[in-house]
Amino acid sequence: MLLPSNIKNKRNSLSVVIPVYNEEKVLEVLHQELIKVLESLNMEYEVIYVDDGSTDSSYLILKKFAHENRRVKVIKLARNFGQQAAVSCGLDYSKNDGVIIMDADLQDSPNLIKDFVSYWQKGYDIVYHIRKKRLGEPFWKVLGMKIFYFLLTRFSNINIPPNVGLFRLVDRKVISILKNLQEEKKFLPGLFAYVGFSQIGIESERPERKGGKSKSFFKLASLAIDGLINFTTLPVRLIQLSSLFFIILTFILFILFLINKKGIVLIFTLSSFFLSILFIALSIVGEYLLRIHFELKRRPQYIIEEIHNI
Ligand code: UDP
Ligand code: MG
C-alpha cells in the first residue's frame, strides 16, 4: 500500500530539479535568473542539476555552480539516459517539501515559480504549466504533439492534460508515491496524471529555446511511444480492430461469391477468412500480453491521499 510520507504537510522549502543535456549556452543565464527568484522567495531551497551525459562543457559549468553555492547539487549520469530518467533521478535525490521540475533551456521561465508556490501554499499538490502557444516550434512537432495527445487522451483511462510538459511544482507526498512506483521506464507526464491528488494548471506562453538544440525527432518519437505503450492499450486494440475488419470483409466477399459464383472471388473470400482467424488469434494473445504488461508494472490498485481516525 502506498501512503504519502509528508503527513505533516509542511510547505516551506523547495527543491528544483533540472535535467541538463548539452546546455552550455544557456546555463549561466538560467542559473542567474533561477537563484534570483529562489532567493526572493525567502524559503529554504536546493537546486539539483542532473547532467544527462552531456558532451559539451555543461558539467564543468554545473560543478562551478556547486562550488560557488552549497545549495546547488550536481549529479552526473554515466551516459545519456534521456530527460525522463534524468528527472526521475533528480526527484529521487530531492529532499524538500515541494519540488519544481523545469527545463534548462529557459523555455520554462523561472519567474513562474512564484505563482507555482502561491498555489501550492494554498493547498494544491501539483501545480503545472499549460503552454498557451508553442512559439517557434517547427510544424512537424506541433502536428506530432497534437496526434500524440489525441491518441493518449482518447485511448487511456486517465486524464492527461494536453499542452502540458513537465514544468511543475509537485508536493513531497506525491514525489514519495512516485518514488515507490516500480516501473522501469517512467513516463512522467502520464504518471503525474495517474497519481491524482489536487492539481491545477497555470496557462502562459512558452518562449523559444534560448540557445542550444532541442530534442531530435527520434528522441521525441521514442518518448511518444513510451507514453502510448505505458498508458494506453492502443497497439493491441488496433490488432483487434483489424480482425473485425477482416471478418466483415469475409462476409461481404462471401455474399459477392453467392451472387456471381466466380472462382476468383472464392479465393479472396477464403484468404480473408483465414486472415480473420489469424487476427482473432493475435487479438487473444495480445490481450494476454496487455494484462501481463500492466501487471508487471506493479502499479498499486489505489493510492491514498489522507486517512482519518484509523
Ligand atoms: N534533456 C535531457 N536529456 C536528453 C534530452 C534533453 O536531460 O536526452 C533535457 C534538456 O537539457 C532540457 C530538457 O531535457 O533541459 C528538455 O529538453 P528539450 O528542450 O530538448 O525538450 P523540448 O523543450 O523540445 O520538449
Ligand atoms: Mg526545450
Side-chain angles (χ1 to χ4, degrees), residues 3 32 50 56 68 80 117 122 124 139 157 192 195 245 262 268 272 275 277 308:
L3 252 181
Q32 230 178 27
V50 183
D56 65 359
E68 288 164 1
N80 179 246
V117 169
K122 275 181 209 151
Y124 289 100
F139 175 71
N157 49 14
F192 281 124
V195 292
F245 169 80
K262 286 213 174 100
F268 279 122
S272 172
L275 271 176
I277 289 183
H308 299 279

Side-chain angles (χ1 to χ4, degrees), residues 218-252:
F218 293 105
K219 269 201 174 148
L220 275 179
S222 105
L223 200 62
I225 290 172
D226 278 351
L228 293 177
I229 299 237
N230 278 334
F231 285 95
T232 75
T233 50
L234 184 66
V236 175
R237 298 287 170 257
L238 281 179
I239 295 177
Q240 292 170 340
L241 219 63
S242 309
S243 51
L244 196 69
F245 169 80
F246 281 110
I247 292 170
I248 294 171
L249 189 70
T250 307
F251 271 107
I252 294 174

Side-chain angles (χ1 to χ4, degrees), residues 210-224:
K210 293 290 183 299
K213 266 204 223 99
S214 194
K215 279 192 285 275
S216 66
F217 171 76
F218 293 105
K219 269 201 174 148
L220 275 179
S222 105
L223 200 62

Side-chain angles (χ1 to χ4, degrees), residues 252-263 265-266 269:
I252 294 174
L253 286 170
F254 186 61
I255 290 166
L256 222 74
F257 169 72
L258 289 182
I259 295 168
N260 66 16
K261 300 259 160 42
K262 286 213 174 100
V265 181
L266 183 64
T269 311

Side-chain angles (χ1 to χ4, degrees), residues 196-213:
F197 293 91
S198 60
Q199 312 204 4
I200 190 169
I202 304 180
E203 191 170 301
S204 75
E205 281 181 6
R206 191 173 199 239
E208 278 181 54
R209 199 174 227 288
K210 293 290 183 299
K213 266 204 223 99

Side-chain angles (χ1 to χ4, degrees), residues 79-248:
R79 63 168 168 85
N80 179 246
F81 283 91
Q83 183 188 2
Q84 307 291 313
V87 171
S88 298
C89 166
L91 296 182
D92 286 343
Y93 282 88
S94 68
K95 294 201 183 71
N96 289 339
D97 306 341
V99 184
I100 305 256
I101 304 169
M102 63 188 287
D103 288 0
D105 57 7
L106 286 165
Q107 284 194 286
D108 300 339
S109 160
N111 293 321
L112 276 174
I113 291 177
K114 276 188 189 145
D115 299 338
F116 284 2
V117 169
S118 79
Y119 277 106
W120 174 50
Q121 288 179 333
K122 275 181 209 151
Y124 289 100
D125 298 315
I126 299 183
V127 188
Y128 55 85
H129 178 239
I130 305 172
R131 304 161 179 173
K132 205 181 209 162
K133 254 191 221 151
R134 300 184 67 89
L135 291 178
E137 300 279 21
F139 175 71
W140 62 265
K141 212 166 164 179
V142 179
L143 184 72
M145 287 279 184
K146 279 219 166 106
I147 297 174
F148 170 65
Y149 276 109
F150 171 76
L151 293 175
L152 202 58
T153 41
R154 182 72 187 68
F155 291 95
S156 73
N157 49 14
I158 50 171
N159 195 9
I160 300 176
N163 300 326
V164 172
L166 276 179
F167 188 24
R168 62 188 65 222
L169 194 166
V170 185
D171 190 76
R172 169 64 39 195
K173 62 185 176 197
V174 181
I175 299 287
S176 64
I177 302 260
L178 216 67
K179 272 166 83 167
N180 281 323
L181 294 181
Q182 318 243 331
E183 51 200 281
E184 275 279 310
K185 272 198 162 177
K186 288 186 177 163
F187 177 69
L188 292 169
L191 286 176
F192 281 124
Y194 158 81
V195 292
F197 293 91
S198 60
Q199 312 204 4
I200 190 169
I202 304 180
E203 191 170 301
S204 75
E205 281 181 6
R206 191 173 199 239
E208 278 181 54
R209 199 174 227 288
K210 293 290 183 299
K213 266 204 223 99
S214 194
K215 279 192 285 275
S216 66
F217 171 76
F218 293 105
K219 269 201 174 148
L220 275 179
S222 105
L223 200 62
I225 290 172
D226 278 351
L228 293 177
I229 299 237
N230 278 334
F231 285 95
T232 75
T233 50
L234 184 66
V236 175
R237 298 287 170 257
L238 281 179
I239 295 177
Q240 292 170 340
L241 219 63
S242 309
S243 51
L244 196 69
F245 169 80
F246 281 110
I247 292 170
I248 294 171

